[in-house]
Amino acid sequence: MSVTTNPGGKSGRLSDRQKDVIQKFAALGSLFALVAIFSLTSNAFFTVGNGMTVALQVTSIALLGIGATCVIITGGIDLSVGSVLALAGVVAALCVKELGLPVWGGMLIGILTGSACGLVNGILVTRMRLPPFIATLGMMLIARGVALQITGARAISGLGESFGVLGNGALFRVVRIGEDGFPTVVFPGIPYPVILMIAIALAVSFMLNRSVLGRHIYAVGSNVDAARLSGVDVARTVNFTYVLSGTLAGLTGCVLMSRLVTAQPNEGVMYELDAIASAVIGGTSLIGGVGSISGTAIGAFVIGILRNGLNMNGVSAFTQQIIIGLVILLTVWIDQLRNRR
């Protein structure tokens, strides 16, 4: 949609792209403001070690947020990613511990479990015509129930050091052996989950902006009837976004369980709200048709840095929930104002 002009030659309504850019710069400004504030309130905030900690914390939000962005652009919503994350993680752990599969094989099955949950969500929305909110809410309860059932509501431990490589390994880590014979970490390296997050963000961003499928996703969210009349396979496009969201939830579950080297069936509670919030903070419109992966990445860092800074300043977990909730309400309200205008 192009910018309309009035008879006097001045610009009128802003295009979706312009609104997206404005929201993205607003989120980026908020990010820089948070970094500046927490740098002043805590000497340990602006350090390499804490930077890597924030990046690791943001990884889960960003991966889930990327999937949520694609779903929301089509006009849908996915509330099941936190539960799917837990189910995929415990499935991967059970495959490794009980079935004796190699770690990569167990994690692959875990990721495919997430894909299957996403496919069911897509079928419920496209074939059975259920509202996305209801369909994914049902999946949220089912996935969490299955995760608790197959584990007996107990954590799965004793997975071995190899299970923790994906979540705790790092590229370019520099370790020096001192005169006392003990190792000293000179540079912590770039964690594997961060590399994974960057690679997936670039790939999905390229798909949205440079491929036919990406144009179809935006078209469905902008006007589903017009997209259908233009020859877009709406059901297949919507199914793809839910499968992508489920797959990324499965991958996130494997990464999280690998970081803990323990599979927790209660992991991922409320993560779906962080995913949706990161997308909305970054400019994704809840009515569909507008959004970007770069904006979602910014939104994920806003949430991650906010949590990290509040922790370093001794703010209680309960107060943090209140603050994050207010941030979500504020960003959704701004999104509604933007759409009305």
Side-chain angles (χ1 to χ4, degrees):
M1 180 177 65
S2 61
V3 178
T4 58
T5 57
N6 57 28
K10 294 182 180 180
S11 294
R13 218 161 24 138
L14 294 175
S15 70
D16 287 343
R17 183 175 293 276
Q18 287 175 317
K19 289 188 289 185
D20 178 47
V21 169
I22 290 172
Q23 177 71 13
K24 195 182 298 182
F25 274 102
L28 193 59
S30 301
L31 180 62
F32 287 142
L34 288 173
V35 170
I37 291 170
F38 291 135
S39 297
L40 294 174
T41 58
S42 175
N43 294 329
F45 179 81
F46 210 69
T47 60
V48 174
N50 189 57
M52 291 301 170
T53 300
V54 171
L56 269 176
Q57 292 173 343
V58 166
T59 299
S60 300
I61 303 173
L63 287 174
L64 296 177
I66 290 169
T69 299
C70 294
V71 171
I72 295 172
I73 288 174
T74 64
I77 200 80
D78 190 352
L79 300 177
S80 67
V81 290
S83 298
V84 171
L85 174 159
L87 176 59
V90 299
V91 166
L94 286 173
C95 286
V96 172
K97 186 173 183 179
E98 302 296 335
L99 301 182
L101 294 180
V103 172
W104 68 266
M107 289 190 174
L108 178 60
I109 293 177
I111 294 170
L112 291 176
T113 300
S115 303
C117 292
L119 179 60
V120 172
N121 282 334
I123 292 172
L124 291 173
V125 172
T126 58
R127 303 296 181 189
M128 300 184 67
R129 306 290 183 182
L130 292 180
F133 182 90
I134 299 300
T136 58
L137 179 63
M139 178 57 70
M140 178 180 75
L141 298 173
I142 292 169
R144 181 70 65 185
V146 172
L148 291 168
Q149 181 68 36
I150 63 179
T151 59
R154 293 187 296 270
I156 303 171
S157 56
L159 298 171
E161 291 184 4
S162 59
F163 194 84
V165 171
L166 176 63
N168 299 296
L171 190 65
F172 304 129
R173 176 177 289 173
V174 179
V175 179
R176 182 179 299 165
I177 305 299
E179 295 180 357
D180 55 1
F182 290 98
T184 302
V185 178
V186 179
F187 177 65
I190 306 172
Y192 290 149
V194 175
I195 297 172
L196 201 59
M197 174 188 69
I198 294 171
I200 291 174
L202 291 174
V204 177
S205 180
F206 180 85
M207 180 273 293
L208 284 177
N209 295 305
R210 302 294 180 182
S211 72
V212 174
L213 176 59
R215 289 194 291 272
H216 287 178
I217 290 173
Y218 281 108
V220 169
S222 297
N223 191 321
V224 64
D225 293 326
R228 186 178 289 109
L229 292 172
S230 299
V232 175
D233 191 332
V234 174
R236 182 176 296 179
T237 302
V238 172
N239 274 332
F240 171 80
T241 61
Y242 282 103
V243 170
L244 176 63
S245 181
T247 301
L248 292 178
L251 175 62
T252 306
C254 291
V255 170
L256 273 177
M257 305 306 177
S258 176
R259 281 180 61 190
L260 301 171
V261 201
T262 304
Q264 301 274 2
N266 285 315
E267 190 65 54
V269 175
M270 304 297 284
Y271 275 39
E272 56 275 353
L273 298 186
D274 281 351
I276 295 169
S278 67
V280 175
I281 290 172
T284 302
S285 175
L286 288 173
I287 64 172
V290 178
S292 66
I293 301 303
S294 57
T296 298
I298 295 171
F301 272 95
V302 167
I303 295 174
I305 287 177
L306 184 59
R307 282 217 173 95
N308 179 263
L310 292 174
N311 278 330
M312 298 190 77
N313 284 277
V315 179
S316 72
F318 308 119
T319 305
Q320 289 183 39
Q321 286 187 14
I322 295 171
I323 294 173
I324 296 294
L326 290 173
V327 170
I328 293 173
L329 290 175
L330 178 63
T331 52
V332 173
W333 178 64
I334 292 172
D335 177 60
Q336 294 299 313
L337 289 179
R338 181 181 63 178
N339 292 323
R340 289 171 193 163
R341 293 174 180 175

